[in-house]
Amino acid sequence: MPLDERPATKLKIVVLGSAAGGGYPQWNCRCPVCDLAWQRDRRVSPRTQSSLAVTADGDHWFLLNASPDLRQQIQSTTSLWPANGRDSPIRGVFLTNGDVDHVAGLLSLRERQAFAVIGTPATLKLIEANSIFRVLDPAYVRMQPLRDGVEIDAGFGLKATPFFVPGKVPLHEESGTVSIGGVGESTLGLEIRSAGARLIYIPGCAKMSGEILRRASGADLLLFDGTTFTDDEMVRLGLSQKTAWRMGHMAITGDEGSLRAFAEVQVGRKVYTHINNTNPILIEGSSERRVVETAGWEVAYDGMEIAL
Amino acid sequence: MPLDERPATKLKIVVLGSAAGGGYPQWNCRCPVCDLAWQRDRRVSPRTQSSLAVTADGDHWFLLNASPDLRQQIQSTTSLWPANGRDSPIRGVFLTNGDVDHVAGLLSLRERQAFAVIGTPATLKLIEANSIFRVLDPAYVRMQPLRDGVEIDAGFGLKATPFFVPGKVPLHEESGTVSIGGVGESTLGLEIRSAGARLIYIPGCAKMSGEILRRASGADLLLFDGTTFTDDEMVRLGLSQKTAWRMGHMAITGDEGSLRAFAEVQVGRKVYTHINNTNPILIEGSSERRVVETAGWEVAYDGMEIAL
């Protein structure tokens, strides 16, 4: 249709990083899927760690999580380049949990730039308890706490409602017996809204809940935890003793997997992100990739842009 | 000369990152030098943050500092790729101070890989006091303290002697009146030796000292603090209220600058690294670049390889 008859974009999303913690390939890993990336096999694309950028007005951006690769991600994304003087278009960072792959990028946002760090009291407390984050000058960087189910107006046309999802505390906060799958301040989903467009972002989730199904139903876009294809894939590869569940993630397949859980949910587009280096959906044309695509899911990649 | 008559390499150095904290260009900066990088001007090359990789045996590598860009730096450096299974060739990380641009990369070295983190007790204490670094599993990662002037055998043919240089505590540890230029555990130089080859690495230094001159004299290679060209360049650009001195760095020029301080010192090769985004020596052909080159200095760039 002619340009002036196209519906205006209400919400624009850029996938800055689509991999789970460690990225793809992972620095010390030659598992079969990583091996393809080290060999520069054309069926796979390297991926940086989990983060989105979203904008409602096209000019001011919010990050959903700040990955350790954030500096590289900004360099690769012209929309996030500074305009003049000291002036980044980034106005805030939402944190869905306190994992390294979601918070370490804050260390790359120093230097006299005003923005908000937005997360649960538990996640903000974790940032404040680690003195290294004092490089973020409180004269510029504002900490904004989130409450379960309470919408905030982030400004610049963007509204966000956080909701607790089943998860676990970050790895670096684990001690003794670790509780998995509890619903609390440790792990968030985010509902992002602008002018009627609605994104649901849940990069980490240990199991399905009624709240998640309710929020996702009718959304224009769902970006969901695609960490592993099978619950035990890291164990079978001999890379770890941990299942996906132990890491606080639900696998894509299986009785308790996300494919089955979302099978009947009406969503505009369903996209897997936060994809672990061991997950064979990273390989174009693989049987596992076909399984998710046949079920109506897309697989996120770095630089993927979605306009709602 | 024919290949078999060439002297064997005793020490190989790869500059993983040649920029100061924040890298070049800096995420929110459009100063005149950054502006060239955002415009993709061919006189400048983007640079990641301060780190070297060194090897004595050609197979096992040590990092001198772990920058926030370490994951990207490993991806760009084939020598640092894993061989098979979980097996990185990186065997240790020396830390010259506790600045974010030198320690945050440790967060990218998780996942069941044995290596040593080597620094002063003060710097190791800082790592241990920040719970986020608990992602480094103590079952695999060993903390090794350094003492002023005491050589350690790092293994794989590489020996290192740390020596305290004038500096200051890391930004995130500053409180009240900050002491600059003191000699203590906060800031190290490293003398790296292998089979008679000798590298002196001092990425941060507030002022010259007799100890530095003594160590540098006769070295095959000096990699030195090239943060700023003039002491007040960040102030004049309106980017900061801090001089280079206030940040714990001696400028290149001026009566107290590094050009003058090293003018009479005999060194095989002298290379500036840890270069701030405001420093015009980043621009090929600039008058400032010519000043340092005429004085016999080179300007480090990412991927620079030096064999001794």
Side-chain angles (χ1 to χ4, degrees):
Chain A
M1 67 188 96
L3 197 65
D4 56 0
E5 290 178 26
R6 279 186 204 163
T9 297
K10 298 163 187 163
L11 195 60
K12 186 172 173 186
I13 295 104
V14 178
V15 177
L16 299 181
S18 50
Y24 173 69
Q26 209 172 66
W27 76 288
N28 67 339
C29 189
R30 287 292 304 219
C31 77
V33 187
C34 279
D35 202 44
L36 293 175
W38 294 118
Q39 290 185 41
R40 301 293 187 252
D41 189 294
R42 296 179 66 172
R43 288 170 293 169
V44 299
S45 303
R47 282 165 163 87
T48 60
Q49 292 164 87
S50 173
S51 177
L52 304 183
V54 297
T55 183
D57 68 3
D59 292 322
H60 302 87
W61 291 79
F62 291 85
L63 305 182
L64 309 189
N65 293 315
S67 99
D69 301 314
L70 181 54
R71 186 177 180 278
Q72 179 184 1
Q73 292 166 341
I74 291 173
Q75 304 281 328
S76 304
T77 311
T78 52
S79 305
L80 300 182
W81 292 6
N84 45 50
R86 280 222 190 273
D87 186 18
S88 163
I90 297 170
R91 287 295 181 269
V93 182
F94 288 85
L95 304 174
T96 63
N97 63 20
D99 283 344
V100 164
D101 61 329
H102 284 160
V103 306
L106 293 174
L107 298 172
S108 295
L109 299 181
R110 51 200 199 273
E111 304 299 346
R112 293 163 45 119
Q113 178 81 39
F115 68 95
V117 177
I118 310 161
T120 62
T123 299
L124 298 183
K125 189 176 161 195
L126 185 157
I127 303 292
E128 283 159 8
N130 276 267
S131 61
I132 196 167
F133 289 103
R134 286 186 207 149
V135 293
L136 298 177
D137 184 345
Y140 295 92
V141 180
R142 180 170 49 92
M143 296 285 168
Q144 182 170 351
L146 291 174
R147 306 283 167 184
D148 187 28
V150 178
E151 180 181 86
I152 69 158
D153 185 340
F156 310 104
L158 193 135
K159 292 181 178 176
T161 308
F163 52 100
F164 295 171
V165 302
K168 73 163 185 68
V169 297
L171 172 61
H172 48 93
E173 301 301 309
E174 290 186 3
S175 66
T177 305
V178 178
S179 166
I180 316 280
V183 176
E185 285 192 17
S186 68
T187 314
L188 284 184
L190 288 170
E191 177 173 312
I192 305 289
R193 293 190 304 107
S194 163
R198 202 155 64 85
L199 154 69
I200 303 294
Y201 174 57
I202 310 175
C205 184
K207 62 181 179 185
M208 192 44 56
S209 73
E211 172 76 357
I212 293 172
L213 291 176
R214 190 178 71 76
R215 296 271 178 188
S217 184
D220 299 287
L221 174 63
L222 169 68
L223 276 148
F224 194 78
D225 182 342
T227 308
T228 69
F229 191 72
T230 49
D231 187 57
D232 65 348
E233 72 192 36
M234 293 187 66
V235 180
R236 277 187 295 110
L237 289 164
L239 296 174
S240 173
Q241 291 155 353
K242 291 183 181 176
T243 59
W245 165 257
R246 174 61 187 81
M247 298 189 296
H249 297 285
M250 60 194 286
I252 290 173
T253 58
D255 289 347
E256 307 294 322
S258 52
L259 277 184
R260 181 165 297 189
F262 285 105
E264 307 299 325
V265 183
Q266 293 301 313
V267 180
R269 287 172 75 174
K270 294 186 280 193
V271 181
Y272 280 122
T273 192
H274 195 280
I275 305 163
N276 201 53
N277 59 303
T278 52
N279 189 333
I281 69 169
L282 289 169
I283 307 166
E284 283 179 39
S286 67
S287 58
E288 295 86 354
R289 171 77 74 103
R290 282 198 300 273
V291 166
V292 301
E293 287 176 346
T294 302
W297 286 79
E298 299 169 70
V299 175
Y301 53 88
D302 290 15
M304 183 183 199
E305 297 192 4
I306 300 175
L308 302 180
Chain B
M1 67 187 101
L3 198 64
D4 56 0
E5 290 178 27
R6 282 186 202 162
T9 297
K10 298 163 185 161
L11 194 60
K12 186 173 174 186
I13 295 104
V14 178
V15 177
L16 300 182
S18 50
Y24 173 68
Q26 210 172 65
W27 76 288
N28 67 339
C29 190
R30 284 299 295 227
C31 76
V33 187
C34 278
D35 202 44
L36 293 175
W38 294 117
Q39 291 184 41
R40 302 290 186 253
D41 189 293
R42 296 180 66 170
R43 289 170 294 170
V44 299
S45 303
R47 282 167 164 86
T48 59
Q49 291 163 88
S50 172
S51 177
L52 304 184
V54 298
T55 182
D57 67 3
D59 292 323
H60 302 87
W61 292 79
F62 291 85
L63 305 183
L64 310 188
N65 292 316
S67 99
D69 301 314
L70 181 54
R71 185 175 181 279
Q72 178 184 2
Q73 291 166 343
I74 291 172
Q75 304 282 327
S76 305
T77 310
T78 52
S79 304
L80 301 182
W81 292 6
N84 45 49
R86 282 224 190 270
D87 187 17
S88 164
I90 297 170
R91 287 296 181 268
V93 182
F94 288 86
L95 304 173
T96 63
N97 64 19
D99 283 343
V100 164
D101 61 328
H102 284 159
V103 305
L106 292 174
L107 298 172
S108 296
L109 299 181
R110 51 202 199 273
E111 306 298 347
R112 293 164 46 120
Q113 177 81 40
F115 67 96
V117 177
I118 309 160
T120 63
T123 298
L124 298 183
K125 190 176 160 193
L126 187 156
I127 303 293
E128 283 159 7
N130 277 267
S131 61
I132 196 166
F133 289 103
R134 286 186 208 149
V135 293
L136 298 177
D137 184 344
Y140 295 92
V141 180
R142 180 170 50 92
M143 296 285 169
Q144 182 170 350
L146 291 174
R147 306 284 166 183
D148 186 30
V150 179
E151 180 180 87
I152 68 159
D153 185 339
F156 310 104
L158 192 135
K159 292 181 178 177
T161 307
F163 52 100
F164 296 171
V165 302
K168 72 163 185 68
V169 296
L171 172 61
H172 48 93
E173 301 301 309
E174 290 186 3
S175 66
T177 304
V178 178
S179 167
I180 316 279
V183 175
E185 286 192 18
S186 68
T187 314
L188 284 184
L190 289 169
E191 177 173 312
I192 304 289
R193 293 190 306 107
S194 163
R198 202 156 64 84
L199 154 69
I200 303 293
Y201 174 55
I202 310 175
C205 183
K207 62 181 180 186
M208 193 43 57
S209 74
E211 173 76 358
I212 293 171
L213 290 177
R214 189 177 70 77
R215 296 270 179 190
S217 184
D220 299 286
L221 174 63
L222 169 68
L223 276 147
F224 195 78
D225 183 342
T227 308
T228 69
F229 192 71
T230 50
D231 186 55
D232 65 348
E233 72 192 36
M234 293 189 66
V235 180
R236 278 187 293 109
L237 289 164
L239 296 174
S240 173
Q241 291 155 352
K242 291 182 181 176
T243 59
W245 165 258
R246 174 60 186 81
M247 298 189 298
H249 297 285
M250 59 194 287
I252 290 172
T253 58
D255 288 349
E256 307 293 323
S258 52
L259 278 183
R260 182 165 297 186
F262 285 105
E264 308 300 326
V265 184
Q266 294 302 313
V267 182
R269 287 172 75 174
K270 293 186 280 194
V271 181
Y272 280 123
T273 192
H274 194 281
I275 305 162
N276 201 52
N277 60 303
T278 52
N279 189 332
I281 69 169
L282 290 168
I283 307 166
E284 282 178 39
S286 67
S287 57
E288 294 86 352
R289 170 76 74 104
R290 282 198 299 273
V291 165
V292 301
E293 287 176 345
T294 302
W297 286 79
E298 299 169 69
V299 175
Y301 53 87
D302 290 15
M304 184 182 197
E305 297 190 5
I306 300 173
L308 301 179

